[in-house]
Structure formats: C-alpha cells, structure tokens
Amino acid sequence: MIVFDQVAKRYPGGYTALAGVSFEIRHGELVVLSGHSGAGKSTLLKLIPVIERPTAGSVSINGQDVSRMPARAIPYLRRNLGLVLQESRLLFDRNVFDNVMLPLVITGHPPRDGARRVAAALERVGLAGRERELPAGLSGGEQQRVAIARAIVNRPSILIADEPTAHLDPDYAHEIAELFRSFNSAGVTVVISTHDATLFAASRPRRLVLHKGLLVEGGEA
C-alpha cells in the first residue's frame, strides 16, 4: 500500500534527513515510527502526502509513484489521507464545527452531508455536542481531538500522525493513543510517530526505527 524504495532526502546546505530508506506498509497495518529527535521521522511522514518530495528514490501509494506526482494531482491524493501534526493548527477564530468542516468545504462537499460527517467525526473522538465551542475554551487534549476529527472527517484510508501526544500529559496521551488504535481496528492504515512507543505497546504494532536518517529496524514488511 505504501512503499518507500531507497528514499533519500537532503536539504540545502548538505543536511541529510533520510538516507536509503526502504520499507512497505500493508493495508490495515498500525505502524509506529520512533527514533531520537532529528532522526528523520517528520520528514518521512511528510513524504507520504507530498508535503516534501524525496531527493532520490520513490514513494508509492497503491502502486502510484506520488514522489513524482504533478502538483495539480496532489489535492486528490490528500482526500484519501488524514494528517495530524504535533500542533493542532486549529483556526482559533472559528468554532469546533467550522474547524472540522474545513476539509469538506475545500473539496466542495455538499453542506448537509458535510454536517452529518462532522457530527459523526466529533462523536468518534468523544466531543459530541461541542460543535459551537471555540478552541480557546478547550483543553490541549480536546484541541488535539478536534484536530483528529478534522483529519478523519473525509473518512481516509490512511491516517498519518506526527507526534500527536508530544505536548499532552500522560492521561491525555493514552486517550489519544486509544483513539488511533480504534481507527486501526476499523480498518484504517495508521502511521504514527511518537517519542513514547510504550503508548502503543499493548497493540503490538509494527515498529519502524530511525537513527540519523537511517532505518535501523522494521524495514521488512
């Protein structure tokens, strides 16, 4: 489903974030990406939705080489992907409903069906009935739940999360981890980077471990 083939990423100035990374993720897998700060985790995840492109090698999704995808096609690719970043990146001048609805507005989704999808996404993350609240009135964990609802409102087949529990206390972190496990149990492919791999230990996920841009564990599918 997701295939990295000898992927390298070098930035101007000579910094190498990834070097010769190869692995395959099958449909429905839960994959936890770990490694030290600066190991290349965020760079790797950004290559999947083509936020970044590799310097060498290829990234394929369902047999399509997205690393060479024309810019006009990228929005269509992203409709099947959900992306959750370390920071929630919510619009603080919009309420919860508008924040979660935003991806559907961008894709021209019919408003009535969009509203149903928003309600379902908020219920899924435990925020049913909170549609009219502003993000500033929510806790950090609740804000991250809104970000997750926004990521799943399009019902993606792949959910990518970059350190979604990094700034949360342990209780909230375990709740967010449980959410991702529940999405995976429903058949969504989940690729998540975390500084605390023990959050997912009970699920026995597949682990990919990066060290200084090299994949040192988990390269075999």
Side-chain angles (χ1 to χ4, degrees), residues 70-92:
R72 65 180 180 277
I74 293 173
Y76 298 97
L77 166 71
R78 291 177 182 167
R79 290 181 184 184
N80 292 315
L81 304 176
L83 182 62
V84 182
L85 302 173
Q86 289 187 39
E87 304 294 340
S88 62
R89 296 192 181 182
L90 301 178
L91 301 176
F92 278 75

Side-chain angles (χ1 to χ4, degrees), residues 51-65:
I51 295 172
E52 300 271 9
R53 293 183 189 262
T55 307
S58 65
V59 178
S60 299
I61 300 177
N62 294 328
Q64 181 178 25
D65 186 353

Side-chain angles (χ1 to χ4, degrees), residues 24-203:
E24 179 177 350
I25 296 173
R26 298 191 181 101
H27 176 76
E29 279 197 288
L30 170 60
V31 177
V32 172
L33 179 64
S34 60
H36 60 84
S37 179
K41 301 187 298 296
S42 293
T43 297
L44 188 153
L45 293 181
K46 288 176 180 177
L47 292 170
I48 300 172
V50 203
I51 295 172
E52 300 271 9
R53 293 183 189 262
T55 307
S58 65
V59 178
S60 299
I61 300 177
N62 294 328
Q64 181 178 25
D65 186 353
V66 301
S67 55
R68 292 169 177 79
M69 176 175 282
R72 65 180 180 277
I74 293 173
Y76 298 97
L77 166 71
R78 291 177 182 167
R79 290 181 184 184
N80 292 315
L81 304 176
L83 182 62
V84 182
L85 302 173
Q86 289 187 39
E87 304 294 340
S88 62
R89 296 192 181 182
L90 301 178
L91 301 176
F92 278 75
D93 61 340
R94 309 278 185 91
N95 62 25
V96 167
F97 177 90
D98 289 339
N99 270 278
V100 178
M101 185 71 171
L102 184 61
L104 301 177
V105 172
I106 291 172
T107 57
H109 207 83
R112 182 174 295 179
D113 184 59
R116 286 195 291 266
R117 287 194 178 209
V118 170
L122 288 173
E123 183 175 5
R124 188 71 188 274
V125 302
L127 291 177
R130 310 285 293 274
E131 291 91 340
R132 301 304 166 190
E133 296 186 35
L134 291 172
L138 304 178
S139 69
E142 288 169 338
Q143 289 178 14
Q144 192 64 292
R145 286 173 180 267
V146 176
I148 294 169
R150 183 178 59 190
I152 66 167
V153 75
N154 259 334
R155 300 173 184 170
S157 59
I158 301 171
L159 185 57
I160 303 159
D162 186 7
E163 298 274 11
T165 64
H167 306 300
L168 303 179
D169 64 40
D171 288 340
Y172 273 131
H174 280 282
E175 289 177 8
I176 295 300
E178 182 57 38
L179 271 177
F180 284 105
R181 284 194 290 266
S182 72
F183 297 139
N184 179 247
S185 296
V188 178
T189 303
V190 176
V191 186
I192 184 167
S193 73
T194 178
H195 64 288
D196 184 4
T198 63
L199 288 171
F200 297 90
S203 303

